[in-house]
Amino acid sequence: MTRTNASASGQFMIGEKSINRLGYGAMRITGPGVWGPPPDLQTALATLRRVPELGVNFIDTADSYGPNISEELIREALHPYKGLLIATKAGFTRQGPSQWTPHGRPDYLISQAKASLTRLGVEQIGLWQLHRIDPKVPRSEQFDAVRLLLDEGIILNAGLSEVSVEEIEAARRVFPVVSVQNRYNLADRGSEEVLAYCTANRIGFIPWYPLAAGVLTRPGGIVDRIAVAHNATAGQVALAWLLQHSPVILPIPGTLQVAHLEENVAAAALSLTPKEIDELDAVT
């Protein structure tokens, strides 16, 4: 499966742009704790350059990854992004490794979106997502900031991250929501209600931390057994399950290594049987 192109994952429309459903998450091209530069700059750049060669045309990043470093490396490796949709986010400040503080003041969100334009070297961001709804700022003010970014043409499409159905509906009264990015994987299905809402409304659902399967991957367990049957890895099974679980799911596995990137993309060609899907659906 190592020669698989990401187009085998199927396609989904983000606004007016069709993307292959298996994307790439660019958080891991930074240093430990998502802080500072990567441990090996040339390896990070090589991995990024391999992304479009494998048919991956959707890349997810954020201003807080590094901070700024992920966006800067994406520009260095891939600008001018022919055929790619680069999605970014704002709504956090960083104080150090593994430290994240929500910051949703409208002026901050707007200034950060404009700064992402510069770092990415684009005139308009194809998809910009509110990284978190800041509980210290009225959400209506944060949604109005997103609306302003759309109206001024700074961003073309907008999405949300880590939200409930009620919050999505509140946001949709202010601006079109084309994507939702919540934590979701084979072992953590706390966002099942949100996924069902996104599926019903054709909103792209971007699961972060998509490869986490915890104890489900233990030797002899169900994921391991299915992986052996397909000559695949547990991670490939986890990604294949996501792709077959809902047509709006857009997995974005991230890695710093080319070999792991190729392994992840190979999951696009892994077709689980209905019986295997039922077994995986039933595990908790």
Side-chain angles (χ1 to χ4, degrees), residues 160-180:
L160 302 166
S161 181
E162 280 306 306
V163 287
S164 66
V165 169
E166 188 275 332
E167 288 168 331
I168 300 170
E169 291 181 330
R172 292 181 77 193
R173 291 192 284 269
V174 182
F175 62 90
V177 175
V178 304
S179 67
V180 168

Side-chain angles (χ1 to χ4, degrees), residues 124-280:
Q124 185 179 57
I125 296 169
L127 173 60
W128 184 92
Q129 299 161 102
L130 180 60
H131 210 160
R132 288 294 186 277
I133 296 176
D134 186 346
K136 302 185 301 297
V137 178
R139 70 184 185 186
S140 61
E141 295 182 10
Q142 298 172 70
F143 296 161
D144 285 344
V146 180
R147 178 76 258 178
L148 185 146
L149 291 170
L150 287 163
D151 291 344
E152 293 192 354
I154 296 167
I155 67 176
L156 181 61
N157 296 288
L160 302 166
S161 181
E162 280 306 306
V163 287
S164 66
V165 169
E166 188 275 332
E167 288 168 331
I168 300 170
E169 291 181 330
R172 292 181 77 193
R173 291 192 284 269
V174 182
F175 62 90
V177 175
V178 304
S179 67
V180 168
Q181 189 165 348
N182 279 19
R183 175 169 169 147
Y184 185 84
N185 53 60
L186 191 56
D188 180 356
R189 306 184 200 178
S191 287
E192 199 72 63
E193 182 183 2
V194 172
L195 172 58
Y197 180 88
C198 289
T199 303
N201 290 277
R202 294 297 296 173
I203 296 171
F205 183 89
I206 306 169
W208 62 271
Y209 208 31
L211 289 176
V215 297
L216 299 179
T217 62
R218 68 186 183 277
I222 182 171
V223 175
D224 180 62
R225 176 168 53 79
I226 292 172
V228 169
H230 289 273
N231 192 28
T233 67
Q236 288 170 334
V237 171
L239 288 171
W241 175 79
L242 283 169
L243 288 167
Q244 293 180 236
H245 190 58
S246 167
V248 307
I249 287 184
L250 314 172
I252 50 165
T255 179
L256 187 61
Q257 303 296 327
V258 170
H260 192 204
L261 169 67
E262 293 173 344
E263 178 182 294
N264 289 339
V265 173
L270 176 55
S271 180
L272 302 175
T273 68
K275 181 176 184 293
E276 290 168 339
I277 291 292
D278 288 343
E279 288 180 309
L280 291 170

Side-chain angles (χ1 to χ4, degrees), residues 56-92:
V56 175
N57 57 7
F58 177 55
I59 297 175
D60 176 84
T61 186
D63 64 352
S64 55
Y65 296 167
N68 305 335
I69 289 171
S70 179
E71 292 180 330
E72 292 167 352
L73 292 181
I74 288 170
R75 179 177 183 173
E76 181 176 349
L78 297 172
H79 192 271
Y81 316 121
K82 183 177 180 180
L84 301 178
L85 174 60
I86 310 296
T88 192
K89 303 181 285 293
F92 275 120

